[in-house]
Amino acid sequence: MSRWSNWLAVAGALAVVVLVPPLLTSGAEPQAGLRALRVLVPNAPGGGYDVTARTAAKAMEDAELIRTAEVFNLPGAGGTVGLGRTVGERGNGRLVMSMGLGVVGSVHTNRSPSSLLDTTPIAKLIEEPDIVVVDRDSPYRALGELLAAWRAAPGSVPVGGGSSPGGPDHLAPMLIAKAVGLPPRQVNYVPFDGGGELLASVLGGKVAFGVSGVGEYRDQIEAGRLRVLAVTGGERLPGVDAPTLREAGVDVEFTNWRGVVAPPGITDADRARLVDLFTDLHGSPQWREALARNGWTDAFTPGAEFGSFLREENERVATVLKDLGLA
């Protein structure tokens, strides 16, 4: 999920958005491709979709792949408000939405009338593990200590996540709970609209621990304000002194992913331009540097292949939620 101070970076990015000039039309310049793009973020500033969208927009502009990439936030209902807006922009080939596993889950738990299967898949961009994190003053100094307290009194050990029920920051602790013998329905999960909102509650001790992407918290970790107890992926993370869940004795491996979709009903030419734009972004040195800086794993999957992946994820998440008794 390093490179920046979370709040300063978000504030600076927002300032850039305020100053963005009106959108330009692409005109009839076949060699120029897209000259301008709007990127909808379906959660609050500071969250994973927001960080990914703003990082991609800046890399596109720095690589001169596009003149203007305007990022704007439309939070609500775990990303399904933004999804509804995207689906409602039918035929708009100058808009994409930053999204990921969290929106897949929210569609089910919020019974959204719109589905990601209603959108035009453009590309999966990255994967990253979640982290189990506590404030530096937390009494829990190892994952085993936290799990013992959690099993003993689950209601008194609230866990916060930067996604609504069904999202990655919700699914990860539920899978951990099931693996250690704690019924998921007993977990006191506190949802936040993105990792930015969650951070304040972890630092303020309003939740016992948080689960979110590492890219959103790397600066706080490096500054010593947060302590990472475990990584949900299959391998340890460079620069993060924490075991994987399996190394800590919990038989769970979990990875989040993010990508972009466009409204339905766009022309084949617009779809091709968008896929080409993100393909060029993927090949740029600016994006490669961003991947390394954020600790993201390159998971680039364009177009129809991403569409097939979305269908599979939709079925997988529905099954997981049912198995956990949460849907």
Side-chain angles (χ1 to χ4, degrees):
M1 264 208 49
S2 183
R3 77 282 183 209
W4 36 341
S5 174
N6 284 307
W7 299 111
L8 289 177
V10 169
L14 287 172
V16 169
V17 170
V18 170
L19 295 173
V20 165
L23 287 180
L24 302 170
T25 60
S26 63
E29 297 181 48
Q31 301 306 316
L34 281 167
R35 295 176 60 196
L37 183 71
R38 301 188 78 210
V39 185
L40 187 158
V41 174
N43 63 7
Y49 301 148
D50 187 71
V51 172
T52 305
R54 295 184 188 280
T55 302
K58 185 176 188 306
M60 286 178 183
E61 292 176 346
D62 289 349
E64 298 183 347
L65 301 176
I66 199 166
R67 181 177 297 177
T68 302
E70 177 192 354
V71 180
F72 68 101
N73 298 78
L74 185 62
T80 58
V81 170
L83 173 61
R85 165 71 179 274
T86 302
V87 172
E89 290 276 344
R90 184 176 185 85
N92 184 352
R94 303 295 182 269
L95 173 72
V96 296
M97 183 180 80
S98 176
M99 46 68 71
L101 178 57
V103 180
V104 178
S106 294
V107 166
H108 293 284
T109 57
N110 287 290
R111 292 175 170 80
S112 169
S114 299
S115 165
L116 284 166
L117 302 183
D118 298 324
T119 66
T120 301
I122 300 303
K124 181 171 74 165
L125 298 177
I126 64 165
E127 292 180 351
E128 71 169 351
D130 271 353
I131 53 174
V132 178
V133 65
V134 296
D135 179 66
R136 65 183 173 190
D137 296 325
S138 168
Y140 310 119
R141 305 197 66 82
L143 184 66
E145 297 173 356
L146 170 63
L147 295 179
W150 202 23
R151 283 193 295 258
S156 300
V157 185
V159 50
S163 59
S164 65
D169 299 351
H170 173 252
L171 290 175
M174 294 302 166
L175 291 170
I176 294 170
K178 184 178 181 181
V180 301
L182 176 61
R185 287 187 179 275
Q186 294 183 18
V187 173
N188 182 5
Y189 179 76
V190 183
F192 295 87
D193 197 359
E197 291 187 4
L198 170 63
L199 176 61
S201 290
V202 174
L203 292 174
K206 294 181 180 179
V207 294
F209 67 105
V211 177
S212 193
V214 66
E216 297 155 68
Y217 292 162
R218 192 174 286 271
D219 273 4
Q220 302 295 335
I221 295 166
E222 292 177 353
R225 298 186 66 191
L226 293 174
R227 182 185 308 132
V228 182
L229 301 185
V231 176
T232 68
E235 299 180 359
R236 291 194 178 207
L237 291 173
V240 177
D241 184 20
T244 66
L245 287 172
R246 286 209 166 106
E247 288 176 330
V250 180
D251 190 20
V252 171
E253 182 175 322
F254 181 88
T255 304
N256 189 14
W257 59 266
R258 299 192 192 112
V260 287
V261 296
I266 64 174
T267 67
D268 289 345
D270 280 343
R271 182 187 59 79
R273 275 191 287 266
L274 287 169
V275 171
D276 287 348
L277 173 63
F278 281 92
T279 300
D280 290 343
L281 170 68
H282 172 252
S284 70
Q286 290 84 357
W287 183 246
R288 288 195 296 272
E289 192 275 333
L291 291 174
R293 187 174 67 243
N294 288 282
W296 292 334
T297 298
D298 181 12
F300 185 69
T301 307
E305 188 178 354
F306 180 41
S308 297
F309 173 81
L310 281 179
R311 288 190 291 273
E312 293 169 0
E313 284 292 90
N314 187 59
E315 294 176 5
R316 182 179 74 88
V317 169
T319 300
V320 169
L321 288 171
K322 184 178 291 187
D323 288 347
L324 292 174
L326 301 169

